[in-house]
Coordinates of all heavy atoms in Angstrom, one line a residue:
E1 N -26.5 -20.6 34.2 CA -27.5 -20.9 35.2 C -28.9 -20.4 34.8 O -29.9 -21.1 35.0 CB -27.1 -20.5 36.6 CG -26.0 -21.3 37.2 CD -25.6 -20.8 38.5 OE1 -26.3 -21.2 39.5 OE2 -24.7 -19.9 38.7
S2 N -28.9 -19.2 34.3 CA -30.1 -18.5 34.0 C -30.8 -19.3 32.9 O -32.1 -19.4 33.0 CB -30.0 -17.0 33.7 OG -29.2 -16.9 32.6
V3 N -30.1 -19.8 31.9 CA -30.7 -20.5 30.8 C -31.3 -21.8 31.3 O -32.4 -22.3 31.0 CB -29.7 -20.8 29.7 CG1 -30.3 -21.7 28.7 CG2 -29.3 -19.5 29.1
V4 N -30.6 -22.5 32.3 CA -31.1 -23.8 32.8 C -32.3 -23.5 33.6 O -33.3 -24.3 33.5 CB -30.0 -24.5 33.6 CG1 -30.5 -25.7 34.4 CG2 -28.8 -24.9 32.8
D5 N -32.3 -22.5 34.4 CA -33.5 -22.1 35.2 C -34.7 -21.9 34.3 O -35.8 -22.4 34.5 CB -33.3 -20.9 36.1 CG -32.3 -21.1 37.2 OD1 -32.1 -22.3 37.5 OD2 -31.7 -20.2 37.7
W6 N -34.5 -21.1 33.1 CA -35.5 -20.9 32.2 C -36.0 -22.2 31.6 O -37.2 -22.4 31.5 CB -35.0 -19.9 31.1 CG -36.1 -19.8 30.0 CD1 -37.0 -18.8 30.0 CD2 -36.2 -20.5 28.8 NE1 -37.7 -19.0 28.8 CE2 -37.2 -20.0 28.1 CE3 -35.4 -21.6 28.4 CZ2 -37.6 -20.5 26.9 CZ3 -35.9 -22.1 27.1 CH2 -36.9 -21.6 26.4
A7 N -35.1 -23.0 31.2 CA -35.5 -24.3 30.6 C -36.3 -25.1 31.5 O -37.5 -25.7 31.2 CB -34.3 -25.1 30.2
R8 N -35.9 -25.2 32.8 CA -36.7 -26.0 33.8 C -38.1 -25.3 34.0 O -39.1 -26.1 34.1 CB -35.9 -26.1 35.0 CG -34.8 -27.1 34.9 CD -34.1 -27.4 36.2 NE -33.0 -28.4 35.9 CZ -31.9 -28.3 36.5 NH1 -31.7 -27.5 37.5 NH2 -30.9 -29.2 36.2
S9 N -38.2 -24.0 34.1 CA -39.5 -23.4 34.3 C -40.4 -23.6 33.1 O -41.6 -23.4 33.2 CB -39.3 -21.9 34.6 OG -38.8 -21.2 33.5
N10 N -39.8 -24.0 32.0 CA -40.6 -24.2 30.8 C -40.8 -25.7 30.4 O -41.1 -26.1 29.3 CB -40.1 -23.4 29.6 CG -40.4 -22.0 29.7 OD1 -41.4 -21.5 29.3 ND2 -39.4 -21.2 30.1
N11 N -40.5 -26.5 31.5 CA -40.6 -28.0 31.4 C -39.7 -28.6 30.4 O -40.1 -29.6 29.7 CB -42.0 -28.4 31.2 CG -42.9 -27.9 32.4 OD1 -42.5 -28.1 33.5 ND2 -44.0 -27.3 32.1
L12 N -38.6 -28.2 30.1 CA -37.6 -28.7 29.2 C -36.6 -29.6 30.0 O -36.1 -29.2 31.1 CB -36.8 -27.6 28.5 CG -37.6 -26.7 27.6 CD1 -36.7 -25.7 26.9 CD2 -38.3 -27.4 26.5
V13 N -36.3 -30.7 29.5 CA -35.2 -31.6 30.1 C -33.9 -31.0 29.7 O -33.6 -30.9 28.5 CB -35.4 -33.1 29.6 CG1 -34.3 -33.9 30.2 CG2 -36.8 -33.6 29.9
T14 N -33.1 -30.7 30.6 CA -31.8 -30.1 30.4 C -30.8 -31.3 30.1 O -30.7 -32.2 30.9 CB -31.2 -29.2 31.5 OG1 -31.2 -29.9 32.7 CG2 -32.1 -27.9 31.7
T15 N -30.3 -31.3 29.0 CA -29.4 -32.3 28.4 C -28.1 -31.8 27.9 O -28.1 -30.8 27.2 CB -30.2 -33.1 27.3 OG1 -31.5 -33.4 27.8 CG2 -29.4 -34.3 26.9
C16 N -27.0 -32.5 28.2 CA -25.7 -32.1 27.6 C -25.1 -33.2 26.9 O -25.2 -34.4 27.3 CB -24.8 -31.4 28.5 SG -24.1 -32.5 29.7
A17 N -24.2 -33.0 25.9 CA -23.5 -34.0 25.2 C -22.1 -34.0 25.9 O -21.5 -33.0 26.1 CB -23.3 -33.7 23.7
D18 N -21.7 -35.2 26.3 CA -20.4 -35.4 27.0 C -19.8 -36.7 26.5 O -20.5 -37.8 26.7 CB -20.6 -35.2 28.4 CG -19.2 -35.4 29.2 OD1 -18.4 -34.5 29.1 OD2 -19.1 -36.4 29.9
T19 N -18.5 -36.7 26.1 CA -17.9 -37.9 25.6 C -17.8 -39.0 26.7 O -17.7 -40.2 26.5 CB -16.5 -37.7 25.1 OG1 -15.7 -37.0 26.0 CG2 -16.6 -36.8 23.8
N20 N -17.8 -38.6 28.0 CA -17.7 -39.6 29.1 C -19.0 -40.1 29.6 O -19.0 -41.0 30.4 CB -17.0 -38.9 30.3 CG -15.6 -38.5 29.9 OD1 -14.8 -39.2 29.3 ND2 -15.1 -37.3 30.3
S21 N -20.1 -39.7 29.0 CA -21.4 -40.2 29.5 C -21.6 -41.6 29.0 O -21.1 -42.0 27.9 CB -22.5 -39.4 28.9 OG -23.8 -40.0 29.3
E22 N -22.2 -42.5 29.7 CA -22.5 -43.9 29.4 C -23.9 -44.0 28.8 O -24.3 -45.1 28.4 CB -22.3 -44.8 30.6 CG -20.8 -44.9 31.1 CD -20.7 -45.8 32.2 OE1 -21.6 -46.6 32.5 OE2 -19.6 -45.8 32.9
F23 N -24.6 -43.0 28.8 CA -26.0 -42.9 28.2 C -25.9 -42.5 26.8 O -25.6 -41.3 26.6 CB -26.8 -42.0 29.1 CG -28.3 -42.0 28.8 CD1 -29.0 -43.2 28.9 CD2 -28.9 -40.8 28.4 CE1 -30.4 -43.2 28.5 CE2 -30.3 -40.8 28.1 CZ -31.1 -42.0 28.2
N24 N -26.2 -43.3 25.8 CA -26.2 -43.0 24.5 C -27.3 -42.1 24.0 O -28.4 -42.2 24.5 CB -26.2 -44.3 23.6 CG -24.9 -45.1 23.9 OD1 -23.9 -44.6 24.0 ND2 -25.1 -46.4 23.8
Y25 N -27.0 -41.2 23.0 CA -28.0 -40.3 22.6 C -29.2 -41.0 22.0 O -30.3 -40.4 22.1 CB -27.4 -39.4 21.5 CG -27.1 -40.0 20.1 CD1 -28.0 -39.8 19.2 CD2 -26.0 -40.9 19.9 CE1 -27.8 -40.4 17.9 CE2 -25.9 -41.5 18.8 CZ -26.7 -41.3 17.8 OH -26.5 -41.9 16.6
F26 N -29.2 -42.1 21.4 CA -30.4 -42.8 20.8 C -31.2 -43.4 21.9 O -32.3 -43.8 21.6 CB -29.9 -43.8 19.8 CG -28.8 -44.8 20.1 CD1 -29.1 -45.9 20.9 CD2 -27.5 -44.6 19.6 CE1 -28.1 -46.8 21.3 CE2 -26.5 -45.5 20.0 CZ -26.8 -46.6 20.8
D27 N -30.7 -43.5 23.1 CA -31.5 -44.1 24.2 C -32.3 -43.0 25.0 O -33.2 -43.3 25.8 CB -30.7 -44.7 25.3 CG -30.1 -46.0 24.7 OD1 -30.7 -46.7 23.9 OD2 -29.0 -46.4 25.2
A28 N -32.0 -41.8 24.6 CA -32.8 -40.6 25.2 C -34.2 -40.6 24.6 O -34.5 -41.0 23.5 CB -32.1 -39.3 25.0
D29 N -35.2 -40.1 25.4 CA -36.6 -40.1 24.9 C -36.7 -38.6 24.3 O -37.0 -37.7 25.0 CB -37.5 -40.2 26.1 CG -39.0 -40.0 25.6 OD1 -39.3 -39.8 24.4 OD2 -39.8 -40.2 26.5
W30 N -36.6 -38.6 23.0 CA -36.6 -37.3 22.3 C -38.0 -36.8 22.0 O -38.2 -35.7 21.4 CB -35.8 -37.4 21.0 CG -34.4 -37.6 21.2 CD1 -33.7 -38.8 21.2 CD2 -33.4 -36.6 21.6 NE1 -32.4 -38.6 21.5 CE2 -32.2 -37.3 21.8 CE3 -33.5 -35.3 21.9 CZ2 -31.0 -36.6 22.3 CZ3 -32.4 -34.6 22.3 CH2 -31.1 -35.2 22.5
K31 N -39.0 -37.5 22.5 CA -40.4 -37.0 22.4 C -40.6 -35.9 23.5 O -41.5 -35.1 23.5 CB -41.4 -38.2 22.6 CG -41.4 -39.0 21.4 CD -42.3 -40.2 21.5 CE -42.2 -41.0 20.3 NZ -41.4 -42.3 20.5
K32 N -39.7 -35.9 24.5 CA -39.8 -35.0 25.6 C -39.0 -33.7 25.1 O -38.0 -33.8 24.4 CB -39.0 -35.4 26.8 CG -39.7 -36.5 27.5 CD -38.8 -37.0 28.7 CE -39.5 -38.2 29.4 NZ -38.7 -38.6 30.7
A33 N -39.7 -32.5 25.4 CA -39.0 -31.3 25.0 C -37.7 -31.1 25.8 O -37.6 -31.4 27.0 CB -39.9 -30.1 25.3
R34 N -36.7 -30.6 25.1 CA -35.3 -30.6 25.7 C -34.6 -29.3 25.3 O -34.8 -28.7 24.3 CB -34.5 -31.7 25.2 CG -34.9 -33.1 25.6 CD -34.1 -34.2 25.1 NE -34.5 -35.4 25.5 CZ -34.1 -36.0 26.6 NH1 -33.2 -35.5 27.4 NH2 -34.6 -37.2 27.1
L35 N -33.7 -28.9 26.3 CA -32.7 -28.0 26.0 C -31.4 -28.8 25.8 O -31.0 -29.5 26.9 CB -32.5 -27.0 27.0 CG -31.2 -26.1 27.0 CD1 -31.4 -25.1 25.8 CD2 -31.0 -25.4 28.3
V36 N -30.7 -28.8 24.7 CA -29.5 -29.6 24.5 C -28.3 -28.6 24.5 O -28.3 -27.6 23.7 CB -29.5 -30.5 23.3 CG1 -28.3 -31.3 23.2 CG2 -30.8 -31.3 23.3
V37 N -27.3 -28.8 25.3 CA -26.2 -28.0 25.4 C -24.9 -28.6 25.0 O -24.7 -29.9 25.4 CB -26.0 -27.5 27.0 CG1 -24.8 -26.7 27.1 CG2 -27.3 -26.9 27.4
F38 N -24.1 -28.0 24.2 CA -22.9 -28.6 23.7 C -21.8 -27.7 24.2 O -21.9 -26.4 24.2 CB -22.8 -28.6 22.2 CG -23.8 -29.6 21.6 CD1 -25.1 -29.2 21.4 CD2 -23.4 -30.9 21.3 CE1 -26.1 -30.1 20.8 CE2 -24.3 -31.8 20.7 CZ -25.6 -31.4 20.5
G39 N -20.7 -28.3 24.6 CA -19.5 -27.5 25.0 C -18.6 -27.2 23.8 O -18.9 -27.6 22.6
S40 N -17.4 -26.6 24.1 CA -16.5 -26.4 22.9 C -15.9 -27.7 22.4 O -15.9 -28.8 23.2 CB -15.3 -25.5 23.4 OG -14.6 -26.2 24.3
E41 N -15.5 -27.8 21.2 CA -14.9 -29.0 20.6 C -13.7 -29.4 21.4 O -13.5 -30.7 21.7 CB -14.5 -28.8 19.2 CG -15.8 -28.6 18.3 CD -15.3 -28.4 16.9 OE1 -14.3 -28.9 16.5 OE2 -16.1 -27.7 16.2
A42 N -12.9 -28.6 21.9 CA -11.6 -28.9 22.6 C -11.9 -29.4 24.0 O -11.2 -30.3 24.5 CB -10.7 -27.7 22.5
H43 N -12.8 -28.7 24.7 CA -12.9 -29.0 26.2 C -14.2 -29.4 26.6 O -14.3 -29.8 27.8 CB -12.4 -27.7 26.9 CG -11.1 -27.2 26.6 ND1 -9.9 -27.9 26.9 CD2 -10.8 -26.1 25.8 CE1 -8.9 -27.1 26.4 NE2 -9.4 -26.1 25.7
G44 N -15.2 -29.3 25.8 CA -16.6 -29.7 26.3 C -17.1 -28.7 27.4 O -16.6 -27.6 27.5
L45 N -18.0 -29.2 28.2 CA -18.5 -28.4 29.3 C -17.6 -28.7 30.6 O -17.1 -29.7 30.8 CB -20.0 -28.8 29.6 CG -21.0 -28.5 28.5 CD1 -22.3 -29.0 29.0 CD2 -21.0 -27.0 28.2
D46 N -17.5 -27.7 31.5 CA -16.9 -28.0 32.7 C -17.7 -28.6 33.7 O -19.0 -28.9 33.5 CB -16.3 -26.6 33.3 CG -17.3 -25.6 33.7 OD1 -18.4 -26.0 34.1 OD2 -17.0 -24.4 33.6
R47 N -17.2 -29.1 34.8 CA -17.9 -29.9 35.7 C -19.2 -29.1 36.3 O -20.3 -29.7 36.4 CB -17.1 -30.3 36.9 CG -17.9 -31.1 38.0 CD -17.1 -31.6 39.1 NE -16.1 -32.7 38.8 CZ -16.4 -33.9 38.5 NH1 -17.7 -34.4 38.4 NH2 -15.5 -34.8 38.3
F48 N -19.1 -27.9 36.6 CA -20.2 -27.1 37.1 C -21.4 -27.1 36.1 O -22.4 -27.3 36.4 CB -19.8 -25.6 37.3 CG -20.9 -24.8 37.7 CD1 -21.3 -24.8 39.0 CD2 -21.4 -23.9 36.8 CE1 -22.4 -24.0 39.4 CE2 -22.4 -23.1 37.2 CZ -22.9 -23.1 38.5
E49 N -21.0 -26.9 34.8 CA -22.0 -26.9 33.7 C -22.7 -28.3 33.6 O -23.9 -28.3 33.5 CB -21.4 -26.4 32.4 CG -21.0 -25.0 32.4 CD -20.0 -24.6 31.3 OE1 -19.2 -25.4 30.9 OE2 -20.1 -23.4 31.0
R50 N -21.9 -29.3 33.6 CA -22.5 -30.7 33.5 C -23.4 -30.9 34.7 O -24.4 -31.6 34.6 CB -21.3 -31.8 33.3 CG -20.7 -31.8 32.0 CD -19.8 -32.9 31.9 NE -18.9 -33.2 33.0 CZ -17.6 -32.7 33.1 NH1 -17.2 -31.9 32.1 NH2 -16.9 -33.0 34.1
D51 N -22.9 -30.5 35.8 CA -23.8 -30.9 37.0 C -25.2 -30.1 37.0 O -26.1 -30.6 37.7 CB -23.0 -30.5 38.4 CG -21.9 -31.4 38.6 OD1 -21.8 -32.5 38.0 OD2 -21.0 -31.0 39.5
L52 N -25.3 -29.1 36.2 CA -26.6 -28.4 36.1 C -27.6 -29.2 35.3 O -28.8 -29.0 35.4 CB -26.4 -27.0 35.4 CG -25.7 -26.0 36.2 CD1 -25.4 -24.7 35.4 CD2 -26.5 -25.6 37.5
M53 N -27.1 -30.1 34.4 CA -27.9 -30.8 33.5 C -28.6 -32.0 34.2 O -28.1 -32.7 35.1 CB -27.1 -31.4 32.4 CG -26.4 -30.4 31.6 SD -27.4 -29.3 30.6 CE -27.1 -27.7 31.4
E54 N -29.8 -32.3 33.7 CA -30.5 -33.4 34.2 C -30.1 -34.8 33.5 O -30.1 -35.8 34.1 CB -32.1 -33.2 33.9 CG -32.7 -32.1 34.7 CD -34.1 -31.9 34.2 OE1 -35.0 -32.7 34.5 OE2 -34.3 -30.8 33.6
E55 N -29.7 -34.6 32.3 CA -29.2 -35.8 31.6 C -28.0 -35.5 30.8 O -27.8 -34.4 30.3 CB -30.2 -36.4 30.5 CG -31.5 -37.0 31.2 CD -32.3 -37.6 30.1 OE1 -32.0 -37.5 28.9 OE2 -33.5 -38.1 30.6
T56 N -27.1 -36.5 30.6 CA -25.9 -36.3 29.9 C -25.9 -37.5 28.9 O -26.1 -38.6 29.3 CB -24.6 -36.5 30.8 OG1 -24.8 -35.4 31.8 CG2 -23.3 -36.2 30.0
I57 N -25.7 -37.2 27.7 CA -25.7 -38.2 26.6 C -24.3 -38.2 25.9 O -23.6 -37.2 25.9 CB -26.8 -37.9 25.6 CG1 -26.6 -36.5 25.0 CG2 -28.2 -38.1 26.2 CD1 -27.6 -36.2 23.9
S58 N -24.1 -39.3 25.2 CA -22.9 -39.3 24.4 C -23.2 -40.0 23.1 O -24.2 -40.6 22.8 CB -21.8 -40.2 25.1 OG -22.2 -41.6 25.1
I59 N -22.3 -39.8 22.1 CA -22.3 -40.5 20.8 C -21.2 -41.5 20.7 O -20.0 -41.2 21.0 CB -22.0 -39.4 19.6 CG1 -23.1 -38.3 19.7 CG2 -22.1 -40.1 18.3 CD1 -22.8 -37.2 18.8
P60 N -21.6 -42.8 20.7 CA -20.6 -43.8 20.7 C -19.6 -43.6 19.5 O -20.1 -43.3 18.4 CB -21.3 -45.1 20.5 CG -22.8 -44.8 20.7 CD -22.9 -43.3 20.6
M61 N -18.3 -43.9 19.7 CA -17.4 -43.7 18.6 C -16.5 -44.9 18.7 O -16.2 -45.6 19.6 CB -16.5 -42.4 18.9 CG -17.4 -41.1 18.8 SD -16.4 -39.7 19.0 CE -16.2 -39.7 20.8
A62 N -15.9 -45.2 17.5 CA -15.0 -46.3 17.3 C -13.6 -46.1 18.2 O -13.3 -44.8 18.4 CB -14.5 -46.4 15.8
N63 N -13.0 -47.1 18.6 CA -11.8 -47.0 19.3 C -10.8 -46.1 18.6 O -10.6 -46.2 17.4 CB -11.1 -48.4 19.6 CG -12.0 -49.2 20.6 OD1 -12.7 -48.6 21.4 ND2 -11.9 -50.5 20.6
G64 N -10.1 -45.3 19.3 CA -9.1 -44.4 18.7 C -9.6 -43.1 18.2 O -8.9 -42.2 17.9
V65 N -10.9 -42.9 18.1 CA -11.6 -41.6 17.7 C -11.6 -40.8 18.9 O -12.3 -41.1 19.9 CB -12.9 -41.8 17.1 CG1 -13.6 -40.4 16.7 CG2 -12.8 -42.6 15.8
E66 N -11.0 -39.6 18.9 CA -10.9 -38.7 20.1 C -12.2 -38.0 20.3 O -12.7 -37.8 21.4 CB -9.7 -37.9 19.9 CG -9.5 -37.0 21.2 CD -8.2 -36.2 21.1 OE1 -7.1 -36.8 20.8 OE2 -8.3 -35.0 21.3
S67 N -12.6 -37.4 19.2 CA -13.9 -36.5 19.3 C -14.5 -36.2 18.0 O -13.8 -36.6 17.0 CB -13.4 -35.2 20.0 OG -12.6 -34.4 19.1
L68 N -15.6 -35.6 18.0 CA -16.3 -35.3 16.7 C -16.3 -33.8 16.7 O -16.4 -33.0 17.7 CB -17.8 -35.8 16.7 CG -17.9 -37.3 16.6 CD1 -19.4 -37.7 16.7 CD2 -17.3 -37.8 15.3
N69 N -16.4 -33.2 15.4 CA -16.7 -31.7 15.3 C -18.0 -31.5 15.9 O -19.0 -32.3 15.7 CB -16.6 -31.6 13.8 CG -17.0 -30.2 13.4 OD1 -18.2 -29.9 13.3 ND2 -16.1 -29.3 13.1
I70 N -18.1 -30.3 16.4 CA -19.4 -30.0 17.2 C -20.6 -29.9 16.2 O -21.6 -30.3 16.5 CB -19.2 -28.6 18.0 CG1 -20.4 -28.5 18.9 CG2 -19.1 -27.4 17.1 CD1 -20.2 -27.5 20.0
A71 N -20.4 -29.4 15.0 CA -21.5 -29.4 14.0 C -22.0 -30.8 13.7 O -23.1 -31.0 13.5 CB -21.0 -28.6 12.8
V72 N -20.9 -31.6 13.5 CA -21.3 -33.1 13.2 C -22.1 -33.6 14.4 O -23.1 -34.3 14.2 CB -20.1 -33.9 12.9 CG1 -20.4 -35.4 12.8 CG2 -19.4 -33.4 11.7
S73 N -21.7 -33.4 15.6 CA -22.3 -34.0 16.8 C -23.7 -33.4 16.9 O -24.7 -34.2 17.1 CB -21.5 -33.5 18.0 OG -20.3 -34.1 18.1
C74 N -23.9 -32.1 16.7 CA -25.3 -31.6 16.7 C -26.2 -32.2 15.6 O -27.3 -32.6 15.9 CB -25.2 -30.0 16.4 SG -24.5 -29.1 17.7
G75 N -25.6 -32.4 14.4 CA -26.4 -33.0 13.3 C -26.8 -34.4 13.6 O -28.0 -34.8 13.4
I76 N -25.9 -35.2 14.2 CA -26.3 -36.6 14.6 C -27.4 -36.6 15.6 O -28.4 -37.4 15.5 CB -25.0 -37.3 15.1 CG1 -24.0 -37.6 14.0 CG2 -25.4 -38.6 15.8 CD1 -22.6 -38.0 14.5
I77 N -27.3 -35.8 16.6 CA -28.3 -35.8 17.7 C -29.6 -35.2 17.3 O -30.6 -35.8 17.6 CB -27.6 -35.0 18.9 CG1 -26.6 -35.9 19.6 CG2 -28.8 -34.7 20.0 CD1 -25.8 -35.2 20.6
V78 N -29.6 -34.1 16.5 CA -30.8 -33.6 15.9 C -31.5 -34.6 15.0 O -32.7 -34.7 15.0 CB -30.6 -32.3 15.3 CG1 -31.8 -31.8 14.4 CG2 -30.2 -31.2 16.2
F79 N -30.8 -35.3 14.2 CA -31.3 -36.4 13.3 C -32.1 -37.4 14.2 O -33.1 -37.8 13.9 CB -30.2 -37.0 12.5 CG -30.7 -38.1 11.6 CD1 -31.2 -37.8 10.3 CD2 -30.8 -39.4 12.0 CE1 -31.8 -38.7 9.4 CE2 -31.3 -40.4 11.2 CZ -31.8 -40.1 9.9
E80 N -31.4 -37.8 15.3 CA -32.1 -38.8 16.1 C -33.4 -38.3 16.8 O -34.4 -39.0 16.9 CB -31.1 -39.4 17.1 CG -31.8 -40.4 18.1 CD -32.2 -41.6 17.4 OE1 -31.8 -41.9 16.3 OE2 -33.0 -42.3 18.1
A81 N -33.3 -37.0 17.2 CA -34.5 -36.4 17.8 C -35.7 -36.4 16.8 O -36.8 -36.7 17.2 CB -34.1 -35.0 18.3
I82 N -35.4 -36.0 15.6 CA -36.4 -35.9 14.6 C -36.9 -37.3 14.2 O -38.1 -37.6 14.0 CB -35.9 -35.2 13.4 CG1 -35.7 -33.7 13.7 CG2 -36.9 -35.3 12.2 CD1 -34.9 -32.9 12.6
R83 N -35.9 -38.3 14.2 CA -36.3 -39.7 13.8 C -37.4 -40.2 14.9 O -38.3 -40.9 14.5 CB -35.1 -40.5 13.8 CG -35.4 -42.0 13.3 CD -34.2 -42.9 13.3 NE -33.9 -43.3 14.8 CZ -34.6 -44.1 15.5 NH1 -35.6 -44.7 14.9 NH2 -34.4 -44.4 16.7
Q84 N -37.1 -39.9 16.1 CA -38.0 -40.4 17.2 C -39.3 -39.8 17.3 O -40.3 -40.3 17.9 CB -37.3 -40.3 18.6 CG -36.3 -41.3 18.8 CD -35.8 -41.3 20.2 OE1 -36.6 -40.9 21.1 NE2 -34.6 -41.8 20.5
T85 N -39.5 -38.6 16.7 CA -40.7 -37.8 16.9 C -41.7 -38.0 15.7 O -41.4 -38.5 14.7 CB -40.5 -36.3 17.1 OG1 -39.7 -35.7 16.0 CG2 -39.8 -36.1 18.5

């Protein structure tokens, strides 16, 4: 909670990656300063942590793909953020 409070007080959009989000990462406005939070590969963030976020994003995956490695997920999202800026 203290990190989220800090982010908001510094005008950062709090964002988390979640496989259940219907908002794709490439639709986010990466020109806005953000704090991006990733949960564990196995379990992601819990409901309390997700509820603290202003935006929840996902990476679309092919049918049958359960999840991505967290380092791969970070790389994909950071690449898009840099591409947009």
